Amino acid sequence: MHIFIAKSSGFCFGVKRAINLATECSKESNEAIYTLGPIIHNPQVVKRLEDSSHIYAKKTVDEIKAGTVIIRSHGVRLEELNAAREKGLNIVDATCPFVKKAQELVTLLAREGYAVIIAGEKDHPEVQGLLSYGIGAVKIRVASHPDELKDMPRKKKIGIVAQTTLHAEKLQDIVCFCLGKAAEIKVFNTICNATSIRQEESALLAKKVDRMIVAGGRNSANTRRLFEICRAIQPMTCNIEEAKELDSDWFEGAESVGITSGASTPDWIIDSVVKRIKEIESLNKKQGGRADAV
Ligand code: F3S
């Protein structure tokens, strides 16, 4: 079975940076270090950090008495950041610079009097954070599809910012819809390159393989999106968090398999997926399966 791995798989720049910052912090101090919510959307990495580096995820600033708090890669709400400042916590800001840029643009649009629309998923922590940066905005809305804006009255001017991991087509749909809603529209394409490159590469890979594996946390929006994109092309696509979830029956008749991953998936998970595929193949061969070389 031929195994192809998407070039861009593994940690993206922002996640790598956040993990490096967290690791450095833990080396510098033996005290417990906290994150507000999981530092990245990968339960296996978060568990490893807890086990090996005394870094613990807390839901709110209230749960942290003192010490260091690391701001996760996709940012937090401004109120939480301010609460951490007021409490005198030592803040290590691991917000990805691309997310930070989107936060600043929301503030800018609100200050300039635009009706702000965040193209993204309402419940995603990054979007919740972005919303909080619309300081003084008359109206700020979130939409992942134009249907969610149907009740929006005509505006004088609309400003649009996107969740960094949004699929470009979704942003296009929202922008097109808004064209009929205001004479002036300002759009900041804050979709991160790392996301779009990963999506394009994964789509190309899904076209040429018999099975497609998307490795990544089920709580990761960009993993979910990769899964949707790949499945639309190759119905035999699965989303796994760990190699042990792979089932040998699923590979029956397959001559090639593609692996891609969400931006929060470490290389060691991808390596373990490759190892598991090879084990499954050799097991199938022993049981009288195909005899192709891996
Ligand atoms: Fe940053 Fe893009 Fe990764 S926004 S966290 S580099 S997916």
Side-chain angles (χ1 to χ4, degrees):
M1 183 147 47
H2 297 287
I3 302 172
F4 300 94
I5 303 173
K7 246 193 263 152
S8 55
S9 58
F11 283 162
C12 66
F13 153 77
V15 166
K16 213 179 276 170
R17 181 176 168 273
I19 296 295
N20 287 345
L21 279 170
T23 313
E24 274 168 32
C25 273
S26 76
K27 277 186 195 153
E28 281 166 15
S29 156
N30 288 329
E31 313 247 299
I33 295 165
Y34 304 98
T35 62
L36 285 171
I39 186 163
I40 62 168
H41 279 149
N42 186 286
Q44 289 72 33
V45 174
V46 171
K47 180 155 188 332
R48 266 202 182 189
L49 281 175
E50 280 192 3
D51 292 347
S52 63
S53 317
H54 55 271
I55 295 175
Y56 305 99
K58 296 285 175 194
K59 284 199 179 109
T60 64
V61 175
D62 287 347
E63 295 174 46
I64 307 169
K65 288 202 170 57
T68 296
V69 61
I70 302 172
I71 306 300
R72 61 196 178 195
S73 54
H74 46 273
V76 295
R77 290 184 64 83
L78 189 55
E79 305 89 76
E80 286 179 285
L81 192 59
N82 287 337
R85 283 181 185 135
E86 277 159 27
K87 216 168 191 177
L89 300 177
N90 174 34
I91 298 169
V92 175
D93 194 352
T95 308
C96 173
F98 298 130
V99 174
K100 211 147 195 93
K101 183 78 198 163
Q103 291 171 343
E104 286 163 9
L105 290 171
V106 170
T107 303
L108 180 80
L109 288 171
R111 197 187 309 134
E112 290 181 350
Y114 286 85
V116 183
I117 295 175
I118 297 169
E121 293 171 2
K122 253 188 211 81
D123 298 327
H124 191 280
E126 178 193 326
V127 174
Q128 286 299 316
L130 289 178
L131 269 171
S132 71
Y133 279 82
I135 309 150
V138 185
K139 183 82 185 164
I140 178 159
R141 305 180 62 134
V142 179
S144 59
H145 189 276
D147 283 353
E148 293 162 54
L149 296 170
K150 265 186 189 157
D151 62 336
M152 182 174 74
R154 210 177 150 73
K155 303 279 179 190
K156 219 162 123 195
K157 49 186 194 175
I158 294 176
I160 304 172
V161 168
Q163 181 181 342
T164 54
T165 48
L166 193 70
H167 194 324
E169 272 175 25
K170 293 198 175 186
L171 175 61
Q172 279 164 15
D173 290 349
I174 286 168
V175 172
C176 281
F177 176 84
C178 289
L179 288 174
K181 288 285 186 180
E184 184 186 337
I185 299 183
K186 196 180 254 185
V187 183
F188 288 109
N189 180 1
T190 45
I191 297 176
C192 151
N193 250 353
T195 304
S196 45
I197 291 171
R198 196 176 289 251
Q199 289 173 349
E200 282 159 26
E201 274 181 16
S202 304
L204 283 177
L205 186 53
K207 273 183 199 154
K208 72 173 196 184
V209 293
D210 301 325
R211 300 287 184 277
M212 189 70 196
I213 297 169
V214 181
R218 295 201 173 82
N219 58 346
S220 153
N222 75 84
T223 300
R224 274 202 304 277
R225 224 156 283 125
L226 275 184
F227 174 62
E228 282 165 19
I229 292 169
C230 293
R231 194 179 48 175
I233 297 165
Q234 170 51 272
M236 293 299 275
T237 295
C238 70
N239 172 205
I240 54 158
E241 282 190 353
E242 292 180 277
K244 64 182 180 200
E245 295 167 44
L246 288 171
D247 179 10
S248 60
D249 293 348
W250 188 71
F251 290 94
E252 216 170 284
E255 293 189 353
S256 58
V257 55
I259 305 170
T260 188
S261 83
S264 313
T265 307
D267 287 343
W268 56 265
I269 287 191
I270 296 161
D271 292 344
S272 66
V273 170
V274 172
K275 192 167 161 237
R276 173 79 184 133
I277 295 170
K278 289 183 177 174
E279 278 168 10
I280 287 175
E281 187 172 50
S282 87
L283 197 76
N284 285 349
K285 272 183 197 161
K286 274 188 204 143
Q287 289 170 348
R290 292 172 43 256
D292 288 354
V294 175

